[in-house]
Amino acid sequence: KEVNNMCALRLVGRGVSFVSASSLVKQDPRFVMRVSYWPKDVSVYCEDVKSKYPIFFLEDRYSLHEWQPTTEEVLSNSWEVWELENE
């Protein structure tokens, strides 16, 4: 799944908590999230939304890898939620 290279993104939420953003991303694979101060090409999505323990992936223009948030990211209320729009 390539988020940044294959799909357009539409902002659906800004200034939300990590819990709110990750809950939405875990429920629906059409959504990705990012912290507002990250570079614009960085986003996080959930690969297995039906799993009890979903795996988050961070993608930028150079790489894709599993991701675990830092304490600062978990406590941040600067998350954005984006919806993937197929072109």
Side-chain angles (χ1 to χ4, degrees):
K1 177 177 178 180
E2 292 184 18
V3 173
N4 295 316
N5 296 324
M6 292 178 57
C7 299
L9 299 173
R10 181 178 67 86
L11 182 64
V12 295
R14 177 176 278 147
V16 298
S17 69
F18 172 79
V19 172
S20 297
S22 63
S23 293
L24 186 57
V25 168
K26 287 188 289 187
Q27 290 174 14
D28 192 331
R30 293 177 301 145
F31 294 101
V32 297
M33 63 188 203
R34 61 181 303 281
V35 183
S36 61
Y37 53 82
W38 284 354
K40 297 294 183 194
D41 67 337
V42 178
S43 59
V44 173
Y45 69 91
C46 184
E47 182 67 32
D48 188 4
V49 296
K50 304 231 185 282
S51 172
K52 183 176 180 181
Y53 302 104
I55 299 172
F56 287 104
F57 289 89
L58 185 136
E59 180 184 22
D60 63 18
R61 69 181 141 197
Y62 302 111
S63 65
L64 171 68
H65 53 87
E66 287 186 29
W67 174 80
Q68 290 186 356
T70 64
T71 301
E72 178 183 351
E73 292 163 345
V74 169
L75 297 175
S76 175
N77 286 322
S78 298
W79 285 92
E80 300 172 347
V81 178
W82 295 80
E83 182 179 8
L84 302 175
E85 297 180 328
N86 293 329
E87 297 180 336

